[in-house]
Amino acid sequence: MEKAIIKTIDVDKSFPIAGREPLQVLKKVSVEIPEKTLTILRGPSGSGKTTLMNIIGALDGPTSGKVFFGDREISAISESEKEKIRRTMLGFVFQSVSLIPMMTVYENVEFSLRLSGYKGDKKERVNRCLRMVGLQNRADHMPQELSGGEQQRVAIARAIAHQPKVVFADEPTAELDSQTAITVVNIFKKLVSEENVTIVMTTHDIGLMDAGDVVYTIEDGCASFQDNRGKV
Amino acid sequence: MFHLMLQKILHKKWMAVSLLIGNILLVAIAVSHPMYQEASRNRMLTDEFTNYIEQKNEYPFVVDMTGMVRKNVGKSDTEAVREFATTASEYFGLPEVQKIFYRNLVASTAKSTTIHDGLKAEQKISIGTLSGIEDHSVILSGEMYSDKMTDDGYIEAVISQAAMVKLNLLVGEELSFPNVKYRNKDAVKIRITGVFTNAEDNDYFWFNSPDFYNNCLMISPALFEHGFMYKNATKYQYNEHWWVLLDYTQLKPDMVDDVLEKVDAAIVKYKSVYSSMETPDYIEMLKDFKVKEKQISVTLTILQVPVIVLLCAFLFMISRQMLEMEENEIALLKSRGAGRGQIIRLYFFQSLFLSLISFIIGLPLGSLTCRILGAASAFLEFASRRNLQVEYSQMVFIYGGLAVLISTIMTLLPVFKRDKVTIVSVKRKRSRQEKPLWRKLFLDIIILGVAIYGLYTFGQQEEELLNKVLSGQALDPLIFLSASLFILGAGLFSLRIHSLLIKLFYSFGKKSWKPASYTSFLQLIRTGNKQAFIMVFLVLTVAFGMFNTTIARTILANAEKNSDYNTGADIVMKEFWKNNAAYAAIDPDVEITYSEPDFGKYGSIPGAKSIAKVYRNKNVTVKSPVKTVNSMIMGIDTKDFGNATHLDGNLLKYNYREYLNVLSKNSGAVLVSSNYRDKLGFKLGDKINYSVSEQGRSSSASGVIYGFVDYWPGYMPKEIVINPDETTTTTENYLIVAHLSFVQENIGFYPYEVWIDMDSSSDGFYKFVEDNSVRVTKLIDSFDRRSAISSEPLFQGTNGILTMSFITILLICSIGYLIYWTLSIRSRELLFGIFRAMGMSRSEIIHMLVNEQVFTGVVAIGFGLGIGWLASKLYVPIIQIAYSATDRSLPLELITETGDVVRLLVIIGIVFIGCLIALINQVFRMKISQALKLGED
C-alpha cells in the first residue's frame, strides 16, 4: 500500500457522562488515509465517524492510541503545534454554514491565506480557488446571499486555498439536495486530481459511498476498510 | 400560556434577571420621584413654619375672629362667628390644637373704692372672661374667683401681672362700675381676688400671653353670661374673640391651595360691621411656599428625565437582546402554527409578570432611595440629617403604574418589530445590513441643530431668564430638554464618526492586519448596527454622568463661593461698643462717642488663624462730574486684612496681595471699585473726595486712587433687587478701600467689624463668645451659611437626584455592558469554533475580542467624556440660572470633580475587566468539536 498521510493506531475515544460509565465512541480504531485520495468515512449517525474525523483533524485528542500526520505523532504534540498544523496543512468543511458571516466570499477565502501566512499572490490564489468551485462571479457577495450549496462550495474553496495537505469535510452534503451533493463530491474529486490534496469526508449517504477512492465504514466504534481504486 | 412563559423565563434566567433589575430600577426611580417630592415639600413647609415661629415668635396657624354685639344688634353675626370658630378645624381639615375664647365688655369705666397710693379717680377697665382660665393658670397671690356673686354683692375677678401694674390694682381691691348697672340700677361691683399667670411655659392656651390681658378683670364665664349677655344683653356692648390654633404640622403641601382659598373665603364671608376675621400673617408665607414649591418641583422633575429615558433605552436593549436569542424559538412556534397574537400575548404576559414583580420590589426600594436622597449633602456625599417622611401617596402608585406600563411597552416594542419572522426570514435576515433609519434621515444632525438653536435662543435671553428665576419662576424646562437633546444628538453623531474612524483605521493596514485585528475590524464595520446600541448607551451614560456631576458640583460650589465672597471672611462679627448715645439723644449738642472694647482678647479664639479690624459704612457720598453716587467705604489694616481674607487669583488683574501692598505704601491711598473708572471717569492718581455719614454726623475726607478693583472680599459689585411687580433692578455698588487708621483720624472712631479666618470650623469662635461673654451685635458665619445653602430644598433635591441618577446610570451601564458582551460571545460560539478549527489560537481570539472591546467600549467612553464636557461647557452656564440668587457676584466657574469622573471610569473599568475575565474563561473552556456542533441544528 502507498504512503499514508494519516494513520491511527488503536485509537480509543470515550466521553465522560455524569454519574454513568463513560460512553465509548471509538474502540481500537486503526485507519490509514492514503495520500491524494478522496477517502470516505461512512456510517450511520452516532457511529463515531465525526469523532474520528475530529481526532485525525487535530481538533480533538484520542483517549488512548496514536495518531500520525505524516511522520509526526499529533496525538502527542502541544495545542499550539496542532494549531499551526491546522492553520497551514489542514482545511475544514463542516456540515452546516461555516462561513464567517461578516466577510464576503472573497474575504472568507482570503482569510485562510492570512491565517496560514500564505506568501504568494493572494488575489490570484483566491480567484483560482473560487474558479475551481465555480463561484468566481460571486466574490463580492456576503455568505448569507448565497444558497446552501453555494455556501458549501465557498467553504471548500476556503478549505483548499492555503494549499493544505488534507481537507476534512464533515457531512458536507447533509443539508444539500442530492443533485447539489453530487456537484460537491465532483468538486472534491477534481481537487484531488488537480490540487494534489487529500480529502477525507464523512457521510451517511449511501449513494455517495462509492464516490470515494477509499472507504472506511464505521460501525459501533470500529472501522472496516474498502478500496475502490481500480474498480470500474 | 403561563406555564410556557415561566419555562421561557427560567430558560433565560440571566436575561430575565437583567430585565427584572432594569424594571425594578425604573419603578424605584419612578416612585421615588413623587415620594421625594412629597417628602421634601413636607419638610420645606415644616421649615417655613419653623422659620415663621423663630422670626415672629408666634404660633403660625391661627384663625383669629371677632364678633361684636352692640345693644342687641349684631347678635346673628356673632353667632355665625362663634359657629365658624367651633367648626374651623373641620373647615380647614386640620386638628384643633387649642381654642381660646375671650369675651369682654366694651368701654367700662371703673372707680376704685379702696384707698391706696397712686389711685386714679376713674379709669377704663374692661370686664372680661377667658374660658378655661382655671385649668391653665396658677394664682400668684390671692385666690381664683368664685362662680357665684359674693353675699355682699361683689363679682370676684382675677387679673394678670401686667394689668396689676398697668391699672395699678391690688389684690382685694374693690371697684365699682358706675355705667355698668344691674336692672335695679345698682352699679356692678367687682372685687379682685388674685393675680394669675400661665401654669406652664409652653401652653398654647397662652397664645396671647397673660400680659395681653392687661386691661381686663377676668370673671367667671357663668357670671359674665348671666350678668351681661342674654336677658340683660340689651344694655351691654360686648366683644367675642376667638383664636383657634390648628395643627400646622398636619398641613400637607397639597392642602395649601385649598387652605388659601378657604381663608380668603372666610375673610370675605365674615367681614361685616359686627364681625371680622383677621387676615393671617401666614398667608404670605404659604403663597411664598407655593411659588418656591413649583420652582423646585419643575426643576427636580426635569433633572430626572434623562435617567428615565436611559432606563427605558436599557429595557429596550435587554429585551431586544433577549428576543434575538429567542428568534429561533419564535420562528419555531410560528412554524408550528402559533399566530401573531399568541406570540405577542406570550411576551406580553412575560413582561407583565416581570413588571409586577418589579412593582412589588420597586416600591420599598424607591422609598429607600428616597431616604438616601434626603441624606444627600452634596454630590455623591451623604450626611445623616433629619429623616424624610416617606409616604405612599396616590401619586406614588400612579407613577409606579406608569413605570410598569412603560417597561411593558419598552419590552414589547421589539416583539412587534420581530414577530413577523419565519424560519426563512431569520436565515435571510442575517444578510448585508442596511443603514439604520436615523442615519439615513440625518436625525442626529437634526437633533443637534435643534439643541444648538435652543442654546443660542436661551443664550440671547439670559438676562430675562435670570429675572424670571429671581422672581420665583422655574427655569424654562426647554433648556434642560435642549441639553438632553444635545447629548443625544452628539451621541448619535459620534457613532457616525466612530464608524468613519474604524474604517479609516482599518484601511491603514488592510493588507497587513493580523488575522485577529482584521476580523475584529470587519466585525465592527460590518455588524455596526449591533454595536451601535450599546455604544450609544455607553456614550449617553458617560456623557450624562459627566454632565450631572458638573451641574451638581458647579451650582453648589458657586453658591458657596459667592456666599463666602460676599461675607468676606470665615466669620464677620461686630461687638457692642459702649457709648453715650442715650445722652446724645437728649442733648443734640453732645457728640456720640464710643469706647472700643478690648481687641486683644480676639487673639485667644481657639482655631483662629488671623483676625482683622474692618470698618464698613455704606453711607458714603461721592461727587463726581458725571453724577453723585452712594458708595461704601471699607477701612482696613492691609496686613491683617490680607491674612484674614482670600480672593481667587483670576478675579483681579494683578495678584490680590499686590493691591494690598500698593495700598500700604501711602496712608492716604485708596483702592476703588472699577466702576469709579468705568462709570464716573476717575483715573489712577486722581484725588477722590467723599463724605461719610455716621450717626447722623457727616465728615469729609479724600484719598488718592492707587488702584481699581473689580472684586473685593465682602463687596458685591452689582446688586439685584426684586421689585414688587416681580421685575428686577440691578444697581451698581461703589467701593472705596482706605486705611483704617486714616478713616479713624478723618471720619471718627466708630465701631468696626472683626473679620476672622478660622481653621476648619467656627466652633472655637462660639466657645470664645460664651467664655468671654462677648456682646455680639452682628454675626455672619460662613460655615453656617454654606451648610444652609446645601440644605436648601432646591440644592438638596438637585444633589440628591443627580446623585441617584449617577448611581443608576453606573448600574445600568455596567449591567448593560456585561449582558451585551456575554450575549455577543455566546451568539458567536460557532464562529469561534470555526476560527479555532482553521488554526486560530485562543490568544488570537481573545486579542480579537479585546480589540472589539477597545474599539467599542473605550472609544464610546471617550466620546461620552468629550460630549459630557462639551455639554457642560455649553449648557451649565444657562442651567445654573435656575439656582441663581440675588447675591451672585462672582463669575460662574464650571467645576468638574476629577474624582467623580475617576469613580465613573473605575467602575466601568471593573466591568470591563470582569467582561474580559468572563471572555477569557469562555474562550478557554470552549471545546472546538462542541462549538462546531452548535451549527448542526
Side-chain angles (χ1 to χ4, degrees):
Chain A
M1 199 171 163
E2 74 276 59
K3 198 182 164 212
I5 188 154
I6 291 170
K7 198 160 86 180
T8 70
I9 301 169
D10 293 341
V11 161
D12 277 354
K13 180 73 180 176
S14 49
F15 293 102
I17 295 174
R20 266 193 273 164
E21 288 270 298
L23 175 70
Q24 181 129 24
V25 181
L26 296 177
K27 298 164 193 161
K28 303 241 172 285
V29 172
S30 301
V31 294
E32 290 189 12
I33 314 278
E35 212 173 357
K36 293 166 196 168
T37 56
L38 170 58
T39 298
I40 289 179
L41 306 177
R42 76 172 187 103
S45 307
S47 60
K49 54 188 189 302
T50 301
T51 308
L52 179 60
M53 178 177 258
N54 284 342
I55 290 172
I56 58 179
L59 293 172
D60 207 351
T63 313
S64 69
K66 290 177 176 178
V67 183
F68 290 93
F69 181 77
D71 297 333
R72 293 179 76 185
E73 191 192 335
I74 57 169
S75 48
I77 59 175
S78 72
E79 180 61 34
S80 69
E81 277 176 277
K82 278 191 210 171
E83 276 159 12
K84 196 174 170 208
I85 290 176
R86 286 205 299 269
R87 207 154 55 213
T88 55
M89 287 189 271
L90 306 181
F92 292 89
V93 177
F94 299 104
Q95 176 182 336
S96 64
V97 195
S98 62
L99 298 180
I100 301 159
M102 70 272 187
M103 294 182 190
T104 62
V105 166
Y106 179 92
E107 287 161 344
N108 258 287
V109 179
E110 194 214 23
F111 187 62
S112 76
L113 297 182
R114 258 177 211 269
L115 269 179
S116 64
Y118 185 80
K119 293 283 182 288
D121 184 342
K122 285 188 191 147
K123 195 168 176 189
E124 144 97 56
R125 176 68 191 156
V126 172
N127 286 334
R128 180 185 151 81
C129 291
L130 286 176
R131 260 199 311 279
M132 253 186 287
V133 296
L135 288 174
Q136 59 274 28
N137 48 5
R138 294 286 207 154
D140 290 331
H141 284 246
M142 295 305 283
Q144 298 84 351
E145 293 162 342
L146 304 180
S147 71
E150 286 170 324
Q151 289 191 26
Q152 217 43 319
R153 276 147 69 193
V154 177
I156 294 167
R158 188 181 65 187
I160 56 154
H162 55 297
Q163 296 175 316
K165 292 241 161 29
V166 186
V167 170
F168 295 94
D170 188 14
E171 299 265 9
T173 59
E175 289 185 357
L176 306 176
D177 60 83
S178 51
Q179 197 56 47
T180 320
I182 289 168
T183 318
V184 167
V185 172
N186 284 336
I187 290 173
F188 280 150
K189 282 185 164 173
K190 198 169 101 186
L191 291 174
V192 171
S193 59
E194 286 181 15
E195 290 276 313
N196 292 326
V197 66
T198 307
I199 295 178
V200 182
M201 172 182 138
T202 64
T203 183
H204 63 264
D205 190 340
I206 299 176
L208 296 175
M209 274 171 40
D210 294 336
D213 299 320
V214 173
V215 178
Y216 277 96
T217 306
I218 318 284
E219 234 161 343
D220 293 332
C222 302
S224 57
F225 176 72
Q226 175 190 337
D227 195 339
N228 289 340
R229 286 173 294 180
K231 284 187 187 173
V232 181
Chain B
M1 191 70 117
F2 187 73
H3 186 69
L4 186 62
M5 177 201 81
L6 275 187
Q7 260 185 333
K8 240 169 57 56
I9 290 178
L10 284 178
H11 187 57
K12 304 241 153 50
K13 354 184 209 328
W14 291 114
M15 293 305 285
V17 166
S18 316
L19 261 186
L20 200 60
I21 291 176
N23 266 327
I24 291 173
L25 284 176
L26 185 72
V27 172
I29 288 178
V31 300
S32 75
H33 179 71
M35 279 179 184
Y36 182 70
Q37 201 110 309
E38 189 64 26
S40 69
R41 282 159 79 208
N42 271 335
R43 184 144 94 179
M44 206 168 109
L45 190 60
T46 316
D47 285 352
E48 294 277 354
F49 277 120
T50 314
N51 281 340
Y52 182 92
I53 296 172
E54 273 173 16
Q55 280 167 16
K56 307 228 169 186
N57 197 21
E58 184 178 288
Y59 191 86
F61 204 108
V62 189
V63 179
D64 177 351
M65 312 207 56
T66 310
M68 297 174 274
V69 177
R70 299 285 174 267
K71 310 221 168 182
N72 227 12
V73 186
K75 229 174 174 177
S76 62
D77 290 358
T78 308
E79 286 300 324
V81 163
R82 184 186 287 222
E83 199 193 318
F84 178 68
T86 44
T87 56
S89 158
E90 252 169 76
Y91 180 71
F92 288 112
L94 294 170
E96 187 180 292
V97 172
Q98 186 71 56
K99 189 157 46 195
I100 300 146
F101 182 30
Y102 170 63
R103 286 166 285 187
N104 66 320
L105 289 188
V106 180
S108 38
T109 315
K111 217 160 95 184
S112 183
T113 50
T114 312
I115 309 297
H116 63 93
D117 285 348
L119 197 64
K120 287 181 183 153
E122 240 184 28
Q123 57 181 338
K124 283 209 168 132
I125 300 179
S126 145
I127 301 170
T129 181
L130 186 62
S131 306
I133 188 172
E134 306 90 337
D135 305 327
H136 296 273
S137 45
V138 287
I139 299 299
L140 292 172
S141 68
E143 55 190 31
M144 184 41 90
Y145 56 65
S146 109
D147 285 343
K148 302 215 168 57
M149 289 244 271
T150 57
D151 296 338
D152 51 355
Y154 279 90
I155 296 174
E156 291 186 343
V158 290
I159 54 173
S160 67
Q161 284 171 289
M164 189 169 80
V165 175
K166 185 183 166 206
L167 303 174
N168 191 19
L169 297 175
L170 300 170
V171 173
E173 189 160 340
E174 291 165 355
L175 298 131
S176 100
F177 290 77
N179 59 346
V180 183
K181 289 175 180 160
Y182 296 117
R183 205 170 273 183
N184 59 8
K185 303 275 165 76
D186 281 353
V188 168
K189 291 188 291 183
I190 290 183
R191 178 180 297 132
I192 295 164
T193 59
V195 178
F196 70 89
T197 190
N198 48 324
E200 274 163 50
D201 281 342
N202 294 314
D203 186 353
Y204 290 127
F205 183 84
W206 298 110
F207 163 72
N208 298 311
S209 75
D211 295 349
F212 173 85
Y213 309 99
N214 61 6
N215 191 32
C216 177
L217 310 180
M218 293 289 178
I219 65 168
S220 115
L223 286 176
F224 189 89
E225 281 162 21
H226 176 77
F228 310 118
M229 292 165 66
Y230 310 128
K231 275 187 287 180
N232 302 317
T234 38
K235 291 171 75 176
Y236 302 108
Q237 302 185 12
Y238 65 90
N239 297 336
E240 288 195 8
H241 295 281
W242 293 91
W243 293 278
V244 185
L245 276 57
L246 299 178
D247 187 356
Y248 66 90
T249 58
Q250 299 295 311
L251 181 67
K252 296 283 166 255
D254 281 339
M255 297 159 64
V256 169
D257 274 333
D258 187 46
V259 162
L260 284 173
E261 254 171 54
K262 283 181 168 166
V263 168
D264 279 343
I267 289 172
V268 171
K269 188 172 172 194
Y270 296 104
K271 190 172 188 68
S272 74
V273 180
Y274 299 106
S275 67
S276 69
M277 176 170 161
E278 290 286 314
T279 306
D281 290 341
Y282 58 79
I283 288 282
E284 276 312 304
M285 179 199 83
L286 288 181
K287 281 183 180 160
D288 227 44
F289 165 78
K290 285 305 289 182
V291 172
K292 248 199 243 175
E293 186 214 353
K294 194 171 160 241
Q295 191 178 19
I296 290 172
S297 148
V298 171
T299 309
L300 297 192
T301 307
I302 293 159
L303 283 177
Q304 254 176 338
V305 170
V307 73
I308 287 177
V309 171
L310 278 178
L311 267 175
C312 289
F314 174 76
L315 289 176
F316 180 80
M317 183 179 80
I318 306 266
S319 175
R320 203 175 71 154
Q321 292 276 16
M322 198 165 169
L323 268 171
E324 212 156 87
M325 290 177 70
E326 285 172 354
E327 254 173 7
N328 280 330
E329 277 163 56
I330 296 180
L332 200 68
L333 282 174
K334 283 220 148 179
S335 68
R336 287 183 189 159
R340 183 169 188 247
Q342 270 172 307
I343 288 169
I344 291 178
R345 225 175 309 146
L346 178 67
Y347 280 91
F348 175 71
F349 279 126
Q350 176 185 305
S351 37
L352 203 65
F353 178 70
L354 291 176
S355 302
L356 284 181
I357 297 180
S358 318
F359 188 72
I360 295 163
I361 303 176
L363 276 182
L365 188 68
S367 137
L368 181 73
T369 319
C370 189
R371 268 176 245 270
I372 295 172
L373 285 187
S377 59
F379 188 68
L380 286 178
E381 272 169 44
F382 302 95
S384 56
R385 282 167 195 268
R386 293 178 294 165
N387 257 345
L388 273 185
Q389 291 277 291
V390 178
E391 281 169 29
Y392 289 90
S393 68
Q394 201 184 348
M395 279 314 268
V396 169
F397 288 98
I398 292 175
Y399 271 65
L402 276 177
V404 167
L405 189 70
I406 289 174
S407 80
T408 309
I409 291 172
M410 288 320 288
T411 44
L412 271 183
L413 267 184
V415 182
F416 279 101
K417 265 180 79 180
R418 260 164 222 272
D419 74 320
K420 294 192 187 75
V421 294
T422 61
I423 289 261
V424 181
S425 66
V426 166
K427 305 253 161 170
R428 188 168 299 153
K429 192 192 63 82
R430 295 179 181 151
S431 64
R432 223 179 270 257
Q433 57 175 341
E434 288 196 350
K435 273 190 183 171
L437 194 65
W438 64 264
R439 273 180 94 154
K440 281 193 260 177
L441 294 177
F442 290 97
L443 217 59
D444 49 342
I445 292 171
I446 295 172
I447 292 175
L448 260 183
V450 170
I452 289 169
Y453 173 75
L455 177 70
Y456 172 78
T457 323
F458 287 120
Q460 299 277 301
Q461 312 166 352
E462 211 173 321
E463 195 96 344
E464 214 171 298
L465 290 171
L466 182 67
N467 284 348
K468 272 191 185 169
V469 170
L470 290 179
S471 60
Q473 293 179 44
L475 193 60
D476 196 331
L478 287 177
I479 294 175
F480 291 91
L481 190 68
S482 167
S484 299
L485 279 182
F486 177 82
I487 292 177
L488 180 67
L492 288 175
F493 184 69
S494 73
L495 279 197
R496 227 181 251 277
I497 297 175
H498 175 253
S499 60
L500 275 179
L501 270 180
I502 298 272
K503 275 181 195 152
L504 199 71
F505 216 78
Y506 166 69
S507 61
F508 272 149
K510 193 173 179 178
K511 290 267 152 48
S512 54
W513 285 119
K514 288 258 159 54
S517 313
Y518 175 74
T519 326
S520 55
F521 280 132
L522 278 184
Q523 171 80 22
L524 288 173
I525 293 170
R526 302 267 164 83
T527 62
N529 283 355
K530 267 193 188 159
Q531 278 108 38
F533 207 84
I534 186 75
M535 278 196 68
V536 171
F537 196 67
L538 268 179
V539 170
L540 291 187
T541 44
V542 174
F544 273 119
M546 175 110 177
F547 188 60
N548 279 0
T549 76
T550 312
I551 297 181
R553 298 284 183 199
T554 300
I555 55 159
L556 191 62
N558 278 281
E560 287 179 349
K561 272 173 73 177
N562 264 302
S563 159
D564 284 357
Y565 168 83
N566 288 331
T567 306
D570 284 347
I571 288 173
V572 168
M573 58 87 65
K574 210 171 191 176
E575 194 180 342
F576 177 77
W577 287 34
K578 284 199 183 111
N579 57 62
N580 60 347
Y583 292 109
I586 302 164
D587 185 352
D589 294 335
V590 174
E591 260 181 44
I592 303 181
T593 51
Y594 288 88
S595 54
E596 183 184 9
D598 169 35
F599 181 74
K601 66 175 179 284
Y602 286 99
S604 70
I605 299 176
K609 287 194 287 188
S610 37
I611 303 147
K613 301 174 183 175
V614 179
Y615 170 77
R616 272 202 289 188
N617 188 334
K618 284 186 172 177
N619 297 316
V620 179
T621 317
V622 176
K623 283 193 182 127
S624 85
V626 183
K627 62 177 172 184
T628 302
V629 296
N630 189 47
S631 175
M632 170 163 87
I633 189 158
M634 199 183 266
I636 61 169
D637 285 331
T638 47
K639 189 160 171 281
D640 292 348
F641 191 79
N643 288 335
T645 58
H646 310 275
L647 201 61
D648 271 0
N650 51 353
L651 291 174
L652 297 174
K653 201 170 160 199
Y654 308 105
N655 191 305
Y656 170 51
R657 314 255 154 214
E658 272 178 47
Y659 284 90
L660 290 167
N661 286 340
V662 164
L663 184 65
S664 68
K665 293 215 170 94
N666 185 334
S667 67
V670 293
L671 297 175
V672 297
S673 52
S674 310
N675 41 17
Y676 273 110
R677 175 190 59 207
D678 303 336
K679 309 265 172 188
L680 306 179
F682 282 97
K683 293 187 298 295
L684 270 184
D686 279 0
K687 196 171 144 197
I688 182 166
N689 294 311
Y690 53 91
S691 78
V692 181
S693 150
E694 175 82 74
Q695 306 297 336
R697 258 194 72 226
S698 113
S699 0
S700 294
S702 66
V704 180
I705 298 177
Y706 269 47
F708 292 98
V709 290
D710 291 329
Y711 297 95
W712 198 254
Y715 159 66
M716 231 190 279
K718 283 191 171 70
E719 206 160 347
I720 299 169
V721 181
I722 304 162
N723 302 324
D725 61 348
E726 301 202 334
T727 58
T728 56
T729 316
T730 309
T731 51
E732 206 60 51
N733 279 336
Y734 291 87
L735 171 76
I736 299 169
V737 184
H739 287 275
L740 179 63
S741 51
F742 181 85
V743 172
Q744 286 173 339
E745 270 165 40
N746 292 280
I747 309 293
F749 202 75
Y750 294 110
Y752 50 73
E753 295 170 346
V754 180
W755 289 26
I756 308 165
D757 187 35
M758 298 295 293
D759 234 351
S760 54
S761 85
S762 50
D763 297 348
F765 173 77
Y766 292 105
K767 191 174 176 307
F768 160 83
V769 168
E770 201 168 300
D771 291 350
N772 292 279
S773 315
V774 178
R775 216 172 131 188
V776 178
T777 58
K778 174 185 180 177
L779 174 65
I780 308 171
D781 178 347
S782 292
F783 298 99
D784 233 29
R785 290 199 11 177
R786 244 176 280 155
S787 81
I789 290 171
S790 68
S791 61
E792 260 177 46
L794 185 60
F795 282 101
Q796 218 205 330
T798 301
N799 274 322
I801 281 176
L802 293 182
T803 300
M804 184 181 71
S805 303
F806 191 73
I807 293 171
T808 311
I809 282 172
L810 267 184
L811 209 61
I812 57 178
C813 188
S814 312
I815 297 175
Y817 199 70
L818 211 61
I819 288 173
Y820 170 78
W821 272 97
T822 324
L823 289 183
S824 153
I825 294 165
R826 200 165 288 171
S827 68
R828 283 192 281 168
E829 240 166 282
L830 169 62
L831 189 61
F832 294 162
I834 295 168
F835 284 145
R836 294 277 286 124
M838 288 176 77
M840 258 175 122
S841 66
R842 288 181 175 124
S843 56
E844 273 178 302
I845 289 185
I846 290 166
H847 175 190
M848 182 180 98
L849 291 173
V850 170
N851 218 31
E852 264 181 57
Q853 222 181 0
V854 167
F855 276 94
T856 48
V858 176
V859 171
I861 288 165
F863 278 130
L865 287 177
I867 292 170
W869 176 81
L870 196 64
S872 309
K873 191 104 189 129
L874 294 175
Y875 286 93
V876 173
I878 293 189
I879 286 177
Q880 62 85 30
I881 292 176
Y883 303 89
S884 45
T886 44
D887 67 351
R888 196 179 78 164
S889 309
L890 301 175
L892 181 79
E893 195 181 328
L894 278 194
I895 290 165
T896 311
E897 281 254 334
T898 351
D900 297 338
V901 181
V902 168
R903 253 177 276 209
L904 183 75
L905 293 183
V906 163
I907 291 176
I908 294 177
I910 290 172
V911 174
F912 265 42
I913 291 167
C915 276
L916 212 62
I917 291 171
L919 270 171
I920 292 172
N921 182 36
Q922 207 158 359
V923 170
F924 268 87
R925 268 192 4 212
M926 188 185 74
K927 283 227 164 85
I928 307 174
S929 48
Q930 271 167 1
L932 290 172
K933 274 203 188 112
L934 285 172
E936 292 181 9
D937 48 2

